[in-house]
Amino acid sequence: MPVIDMSELEPVGEFGSKEWGEACAEASIKMLEAVELPQSTNWAFTEDYTFPPKRLMRGGRTHSGYYIMVKNGKVSAADGIIKEALSLPGFHVQLPWAYIANQSGTLYGKEGQLRRSQDEAVLMASIVEYLGRDNPFKLPINGKGEASYMLEPVGPWPKEVGMAVAEGSEEGNGLHNVAATLQQKSPEFEGLPVTEMGVPILTDMTDEQKVTFLSLCGIEL
């Protein structure tokens, strides 16, 4: 049985805000401390959202995002990004806040995740076509020579970690759905055309909306 009671959750802050990051970190600790992790587990999860709205960076924050770290089987997590977590193999993502913020508030299971990924692929292709250049977000080049939002060192999800954070996801639980439930809507996406999964549709935007959205993604036109 999932350790998080979804009925007790309510929105606490916008995607990438300190309040939201702290709540996501707290939930992840509960999930992972409920299972027995091997002492040999050394792995981390970091999500770093670039070009966030200035209002989310009040109080001296240097990063919009949060981390989960398992070191020698012990779990820690918090708002922000720390070097110790980034140094461990794991799931390290760095992407523009506006590119993923809205759809991150959508509840889904495996099928929904696939649909979101497909919609995001269409969005990226639309951005590339509109700008006439590849790698519009200037993503780092990985060991394969490809632009990637995944930062090195990449490491597979440990079985116990993956099962813990995904438990109940098909029924509306799991870490993603917890994070989505904790998320408040952001004003930047009001009136913006989006898919059923909440992914912005660049080709349906007005010229003004396109410029605004791409600027939010850190792209200079």
Side-chain angles (χ1 to χ4, degrees), residues 53-208:
K54 291 182 179 179
R55 64 180 178 276
L56 302 184
M57 304 305 288
R58 291 192 293 261
R61 294 180 83 209
T62 57
H63 290 273
S64 170
Y66 73 104
Y67 74 90
I68 305 168
M69 183 169 64
V70 183
K71 197 162 187 179
N72 298 324
K74 294 185 178 181
V75 181
S76 61
D79 175 67
I81 307 295
I82 62 173
K83 291 182 179 180
E84 187 177 8
L86 287 172
S87 69
L88 292 174
F91 182 87
H92 302 291
V93 173
Q94 188 177 67
L95 275 172
W97 176 88
Y99 182 69
I100 57 174
N102 196 60
Q103 57 266 37
S104 292
T106 302
L107 301 175
Y108 54 68
K110 288 183 179 179
E111 181 181 349
Q113 174 63 67
L114 177 60
R115 291 174 60 195
R116 170 181 172 171
S117 296
Q118 292 171 336
D119 289 348
E120 288 177 340
V122 171
L123 174 58
M124 179 61 77
S126 298
I127 293 174
V128 169
E129 181 177 0
Y130 180 79
L131 296 174
R133 62 176 185 267
D134 293 329
N135 195 15
F137 297 152
K138 298 180 181 179
L139 300 174
I141 305 301
N142 62 21
K144 297 180 181 179
E146 302 170 340
S148 176
Y149 60 84
M150 293 291 295
L151 304 180
E152 302 285 354
V154 176
W157 288 73
K159 179 181 178 181
E160 296 83 1
V161 173
M163 291 179 64
V165 300
E167 185 177 8
S169 59
E170 293 303 308
E171 293 75 42
N173 207 295
L175 183 57
H176 165 75
N177 290 321
V178 167
T181 303
L182 294 169
Q183 180 178 332
Q184 293 177 342
K185 293 184 180 298
S186 295
E188 285 82 358
F189 302 97
E190 291 182 10
L192 209 63
V194 299
T195 67
E196 289 185 4
M197 300 308 296
V199 178
I201 306 173
L202 188 74
T203 53
D204 286 355
M205 295 181 193
T206 65
D207 289 342
E208 182 179 357

